[in-house]
Amino acid sequence: MARFLPERARAVPGIPLLVCWVNVRPGLVARKDGVTVSVLAFDIAGDRIRNVRAVLNPDELRPRTAP
């Protein structure tokens, strides 16, 4: 993940990845023009990421969009 995420961020210019907490998990939020386009939450055990939960459905992301 440490290699993958920065590579993905460079592949899509203009969409910053913001570090945040997502449902009590560390995560990332991707926004384009102030609108949330994806949310990632990480399940961590010890020093490893065990699961990545991704939400891409615009209907589920609407409440996370910045006013």
Side-chain angles (χ1 to χ4, degrees):
M1 292 306 296
R3 290 184 297 265
F4 173 77
L5 289 174
E7 201 172 290
R8 291 288 72 198
R10 283 190 298 275
V12 187
I15 299 184
L17 293 176
L18 309 167
V19 177
C20 63
W21 290 97
V22 178
N23 297 330
V24 302
R25 293 179 176 87
L28 296 170
V29 173
R31 289 195 174 138
K32 181 174 182 181
D33 301 326
V35 177
T36 301
V37 294
S38 71
V39 174
L40 301 171
F42 304 101
D43 291 333
I44 298 179
D47 63 347
R48 303 226 178 232
I49 295 172
R50 298 294 180 193
N51 258 333
V52 178
R53 299 168 190 266
V55 178
L56 304 171
N57 181 339
D59 292 331
E60 293 179 24
L61 294 171
R62 190 167 294 121
R64 296 193 175 273
T65 300

